[in-house]
Amino acid sequence: QRLVHAEASGVLFTGDPVTGRCDRLIIEGGSGLGERIVRGEMAPDRFVLSKKGLRLRERVIAQGPSGRPCLRPRDIRRLGRLALRMEGLFGSPQDIEWALRGSEIAILQSRAITTLPRAAARSGRVRRIWSNANLVEVMPDVVTPFTWSTSVEHASRVMGRPISLQ
């Protein structure tokens, strides 16, 4: 993967991982590479948008080196539209890492938000499956195809239903 020499970078949540509200987008970012934010060397700018209409609800600008926001209003809206498409594509609230260089937005990574509180889970937007199986103790390392092929029949009997590789 090639390095994006970003003018700005950060993270975008399509649901609030702190409050569980799924009616807003939260964009946090700063100038340059995101590494400075991750290391705690720089406070990020924060933009909160409503999902409906992508209206800016909150804007907190950290006093970075330039004293200006890391994103222009049009880039905030572009990130918002892209995030809504990704949430629709993946079917759950997303935690998206992004980088901006010129007019190009690079998506570095997207994954489901795993820390949403129960409020979001009750909304039906997040599905969690709980189990008391001690799989980590039984298979503490990567399962090889051979191990899986010999274990799947046994696991199907224990679970009381067929387990598929798909």
Side-chain angles (χ1 to χ4, degrees):
Q1 182 176 7
R2 69 179 172 87
L3 174 67
V4 176
H5 295 283
E7 295 163 12
S9 58
V11 65
L12 191 164
F13 297 98
T14 64
D16 190 328
V18 176
T19 67
R21 291 184 66 171
C22 289
D23 63 338
R24 57 189 53 201
L25 304 175
I26 298 172
I27 302 170
E28 291 188 343
S31 57
L33 300 177
E35 184 177 346
R36 293 178 39 220
I37 295 172
V38 171
R39 286 191 303 217
E41 297 173 359
M42 179 174 117
D45 293 346
R46 179 180 172 91
F47 307 93
V48 179
L49 304 168
S50 61
K51 279 188 179 177
K52 194 172 196 171
L54 296 176
R55 292 193 355 236
L56 187 63
R57 295 291 186 195
E58 181 184 328
R59 179 183 141 166
V60 177
I61 306 304
Q63 293 303 315
S66 70
R68 295 187 317 262
C70 68
L71 293 170
R72 297 175 298 239
R74 72 174 181 235
D75 295 325
I76 294 169
R77 285 188 300 278
R78 287 177 57 218
L79 277 167
R81 285 191 299 271
L82 186 58
L84 290 176
R85 284 181 44 213
M86 293 177 72
E87 182 181 69
L89 177 67
F90 293 116
S92 67
Q94 295 292 297
D95 169 350
I96 302 165
E97 293 179 19
W98 56 269
L100 177 70
R101 182 172 181 204
S103 63
E104 177 189 355
I105 295 174
I107 299 302
L108 308 175
Q109 174 173 280
S110 184
R111 62 181 173 247
I113 300 174
T114 57
T115 59
L116 285 178
R118 286 183 218 195
R122 281 195 303 268
S123 73
R125 303 273 310 177
V126 176
R127 183 176 178 204
R128 290 193 175 120
I129 300 172
W130 296 92
S131 170
N132 64 355
N134 62 347
L135 290 177
V136 174
E137 294 173 23
V138 176
M139 296 181 178
D141 205 349
V142 175
V143 178
T144 65
F146 176 75
T147 301
W148 180 254
S149 69
T150 59
S151 301
V152 73
E153 185 177 325
H154 173 70
S156 295
R157 279 185 273 153
V158 169
M159 298 300 282
R161 61 184 170 82
I163 295 178
S164 171
L165 294 174
Q166 299 173 351

